[in-house]
Amino acid sequence: MQVKAIRPERDALEIKFPRVEGYRVELPLHETTYKWSGGNAVTVFDSTVVRVDTDAGLVGWGEACPLGPAYLPAYAAGVRAGLAELAPHLLGQNPLEPAKLNRRMDAALKGHPYVKTAVDVACWDLLGKHANLPVCELLGGRYGDDFHLYRAISQESPDAMAANVAGYRAEGYRRFQLKVGGDPDTDIQRIRAVAAVMQPGDRLVADANTGWRQHEAVRVVRAVRDIDVYIEQPCLTYEECLNVRRATDHPFVLDEVVDNIGMLVRGHADRAMDVVNLKISKLGGLTRIRQARDLCVELGVAMTLEDSWGGDIVTAAIAHLAHSCPPEFLFSSTDFNSYVTVSIADGAPHRKNGRLAAPTAPGLGVTPRTDVLGDPVLVVG
């Protein structure tokens, strides 16, 4: 018996971009200020929401929100400036071919993955709507009912950080990312104070966000060698982090220095990490981070899957990515929309007892609130 392939009519696949819009939205924090290494702090996040229209009537949405200008090589106004440069090259292209579209974006704008992220996520939103499937099913399938989250603990005094951990545990969190990377002596106290309130099943990560010098990081890891704690991104460069890794038997997490597949392969070959933190906008969107995630699964490397920051649309994208990751490789994820006071989309996922689930509606499953977004600050097409 001959089996004939069945495929949609070609016209159904010939969907093109006629228009791209960008919106600016401010996201204040519930805790008023978020602090991390180097004295850095943010009180209001500046997020860019992207709308992509198609000539078939489908609309896709994406979001990019850098963690201020001093964290990664990314800044909020740069998203919009980059989109103004990039968007004309998208007109007439098929958004249902995200890998092909990524190649075109790379040809039109070298680097700047954070600029391309919102466009790529919007294309996955469109692809899901076109296929009538949630994005997580397109990214590999939905594992289980939900997945666990971590809570970032803003840099404060040791006692204040310990109290914050206790408060968030009451909300269901069991994984805590402690913001250190300041004075080593104070950081040792922070780690010890928080470790003292840990309970069985909790996981503690001391995340320096590149803030220590190599000699400081070595001092800290040796001073807390008796504590069950993961050490995350202690220093600015990969080489410094690798040297610290070799000076400790603590589980080790790399984050900021792993910004492409090549660095991921290098880190695995050097045994530089036990866990890797992969951020959607750091790699350039869902297309690229899916490649990295699937490589980690093949290599046996656990992951934190998240983004730099964002609101409801970013949280939905994170949820779809994390929910489609085999759970034995998902170390943690996060729900950024719970940190901010402004909701920008209906249908977004919200945590329940420290856990999150991806929406079940087609695409990202969210409907942006136009009354909150206001008028576009960028229109191309």
Side-chain angles (χ1 to χ4, degrees):
M1 180 178 69
Q2 185 177 7
V3 179
K4 183 178 180 181
I6 300 174
R7 58 172 293 173
E9 293 295 326
R10 181 62 190 169
D11 289 346
L13 299 178
E14 291 178 347
I15 294 175
K16 296 180 180 180
F17 283 128
R19 184 181 177 92
V20 178
E21 296 180 352
Y23 300 80
R24 178 180 180 272
V25 60
E26 292 188 346
L27 303 173
L29 283 157
H30 283 292
E31 292 186 355
T32 69
T33 305
Y34 178 77
K35 303 174 185 176
W36 70 100
S37 66
N40 292 302
V42 173
T43 56
V44 178
F45 288 92
D46 183 346
S47 190
T48 300
V49 173
V50 170
R51 168 179 171 149
V52 292
D53 286 89
T54 68
D55 55 9
L58 290 174
V59 176
W61 295 89
E63 181 185 6
C65 184
L67 178 56
Y71 174 57
L72 291 172
Y75 67 107
V79 179
R80 296 181 285 273
L83 283 171
E85 180 71 30
L86 185 64
H89 298 275
L90 304 176
L91 302 183
Q93 300 302 307
N94 187 346
L96 304 185
E97 301 173 334
K100 183 178 178 182
L101 190 69
N102 267 263
R103 291 179 62 85
R104 182 166 184 86
M105 288 195 290
D106 288 345
L109 181 66
K110 298 295 183 184
H112 304 285
Y114 69 105
V115 172
K116 302 165 186 174
T117 291
V119 173
D120 179 79
V121 170
C123 289
W124 280 93
D125 187 30
L126 281 171
L127 188 59
K129 291 172 178 174
H130 180 74
N132 198 33
L133 291 170
V135 167
C136 65
E137 295 186 24
L138 299 175
L139 291 174
R142 186 186 299 265
Y143 287 88
D145 296 326
D146 55 18
F147 54 91
H148 51 74
L149 302 168
Y150 80 81
R151 189 73 186 191
I153 307 300
S154 178
Q155 195 173 98
E156 303 286 351
S157 70
D159 289 343
M161 295 177 84
N164 285 338
V165 165
Y168 285 121
R169 185 191 292 104
E171 297 180 11
Y173 290 99
R174 302 300 300 275
R175 283 161 169 75
F176 304 98
Q177 190 187 80
L178 196 65
K179 293 302 175 181
V180 288
D183 173 71
D185 293 317
T186 305
D187 284 335
I188 292 167
Q189 295 175 31
R190 288 173 171 135
I191 295 168
R192 289 197 170 277
V194 173
V197 300
M198 290 288 101
Q199 296 181 2
D202 291 350
R203 295 289 181 270
L204 176 61
V205 179
D207 183 9
N209 288 121
T210 77
W212 291 321
R213 302 295 183 186
Q214 182 178 315
H215 69 94
E216 295 173 329
V218 171
R219 272 194 64 218
V220 173
V221 298
R222 288 179 175 172
V224 299
R225 63 180 52 169
D226 59 315
I227 292 175
D228 182 9
V229 59
Y230 290 72
I231 303 298
E232 181 167 349
Q233 192 69 40
C235 304
L236 181 62
T237 70
Y238 173 80
E239 291 75 16
E240 289 172 310
C241 288
L242 183 58
N243 288 336
V244 177
R245 156 72 159 181
R246 291 169 175 169
T248 180
D249 60 1
H250 284 300
F252 213 79
V253 186
L254 287 183
D255 180 356
E256 286 84 352
V257 296
V258 181
D259 55 6
N260 57 57
I261 293 290
M263 283 302 304
L264 179 58
V265 172
R266 182 182 177 189
H268 178 260
D270 290 340
R271 299 180 181 179
M273 62 202 178
D274 301 292
V275 181
V276 63
N277 189 318
L278 300 176
K279 292 179 169 66
I280 297 173
S281 60
K282 186 173 62 175
L283 274 75
L286 288 172
T287 301
R288 294 282 165 74
I289 200 170
R290 180 182 66 163
Q291 295 170 348
R293 182 202 66 187
D294 291 348
L295 177 59
C296 284
V297 170
E298 292 302 314
L299 296 175
V301 178
M303 293 161 278
T304 292
L305 297 174
E306 57 164 342
D307 209 333
S308 297
W309 208 274
D312 289 316
I313 301 173
V314 162
T315 300
I318 293 170
H320 284 286
L321 176 68
H323 215 152
S324 60
C325 179
E328 63 268 30
F329 293 102
L330 183 64
F331 180 70
S332 65
S333 188
T334 195
D335 58 328
F336 283 131
N337 61 354
S338 74
Y339 291 74
V340 299
T341 63
V342 173
S343 174
I344 63 173
D346 296 323
H350 292 279
R351 74 174 188 269
K352 293 182 180 179
N353 196 32
R355 302 181 71 87
L356 195 68
T360 57
L364 292 177
V366 300
T367 303
R369 299 175 57 186
T370 55
D371 60 320
V372 176
L373 297 183
D375 295 327
V377 296
L378 170 73
V379 178
V380 177

